[in-house]
């Protein structure tokens, strides 16, 4: 974990500077054995952005009065580790669910799942006939062409803001 060591000729002065940094930057004081002065480290893991590229992102336009719709995204993961999505959110909707399409013989259905995975060095395509984000509790009518922000959340705590365009089906 990265840290900042505060050095001073006076331990009291170093402690005062560390305290000032704590107040200004949301940092926590950490003790380091063998150092004459206290060190400052981040209080929590900094919110890192997911290493995904958004190739496409759309939300299906719905008629007035309809309060749920779906988001279709294509996400590319150039990294060597799979990215496990555990949720999503949007200020425009009450809640967002991760959905997986299931097929049993001639029957097609959907079910809520706890995760969707973007494989390493691969893509995850969420579309009308497959996995997708179910957007529930629409707070206002959508207009074709408008941009809506969705925030994807990963298992490791990282997030990614995605701008999706509202499109007619």
């Amino acid at each position: 974990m990265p840290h900042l060591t505060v050095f001073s000729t006076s331990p009291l002065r170093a402690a005062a500077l560390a305290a000032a940094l704590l107040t200004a930057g949301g940092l926590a004081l950490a003790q380091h054995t063998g150092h004459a002065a206290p060190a400052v480290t981040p209080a929590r893991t900094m919110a890192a952005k997911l290493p995904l590229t958004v190739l496409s992102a759309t939300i299906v336009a719905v008629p007035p009065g309809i309060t749920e719709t779906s988001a279709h995204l294509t996400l590319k993961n150039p990294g060597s580790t799979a990215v496990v999505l555990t949720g999503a959110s949007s200020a425009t909707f009450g809640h967002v669910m991760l959905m997986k399409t299931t097929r049993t013989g001639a029957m097609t259905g959907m079910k809520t799942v706890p995760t969707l995975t973007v494989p390493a060095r691969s893509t995850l395509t969420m579309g009308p006939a497959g996995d997708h984000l179910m957007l529930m509790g629409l707070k206002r009518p959508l207009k074709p062409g408008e941009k809506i922000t969705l925030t994807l959340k990963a298992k490791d705590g990282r997030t990614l803001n995605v701008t999706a365009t509202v499109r007619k089906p």
Side-chain angles (χ1 to χ4, degrees):
M1 179 178 271
H3 68 274
L4 170 67
T5 303
V6 179
F7 292 101
S8 175
T9 55
S10 160
L12 186 57
R13 182 169 227 168
L17 180 55
L21 289 170
L22 283 169
T23 304
L27 300 172
L29 197 57
Q31 296 293 343
H32 283 266
T33 307
H35 290 277
V40 179
T41 58
R44 61 185 180 270
T45 303
M46 296 186 69
K49 186 176 125 176
L50 284 169
L52 301 175
T53 302
V54 180
L55 302 178
S56 67
T58 60
I59 294 174
V60 178
V62 291
I66 303 297
T67 60
E68 60 186 57
T69 187
S70 60
H72 306 149
L73 299 104
T74 300
L75 304 171
K76 181 178 181 177
N77 179 0
S80 59
T81 306
V83 174
V84 180
L85 300 175
T86 58
S89 62
S90 174
T92 308
F93 297 91
H95 66 281
V96 179
M97 298 184 298
L98 305 178
M99 304 296 289
K100 189 163 238 4
T101 298
T102 58
R103 290 178 182 78
T104 307
M107 299 292 291
T108 300
M110 297 183 300
K111 68 176 183 175
T112 303
V113 293
T115 64
L116 290 174
T117 301
V118 187
R121 295 185 184 91
S122 191
T123 59
L124 170 64
T125 300
M126 294 184 261
D131 303 340
H132 60 280
L133 300 179
M134 195 72 194
L135 309 171
M136 309 290 290
L138 178 61
K139 296 178 180 178
R140 60 172 178 73
L142 298 175
K143 297 175 188 155
E146 82 171 291
K147 309 282 188 201
I148 303 290
T149 300
L150 302 168
T151 301
L152 303 179
K153 299 171 189 166
K155 188 175 186 177
D156 63 7
R158 293 181 292 173
T159 62
L160 178 67
N161 286 334
V162 174
T163 302
T165 304
V166 177
R167 304 241 187 255
K168 290 184 180 181

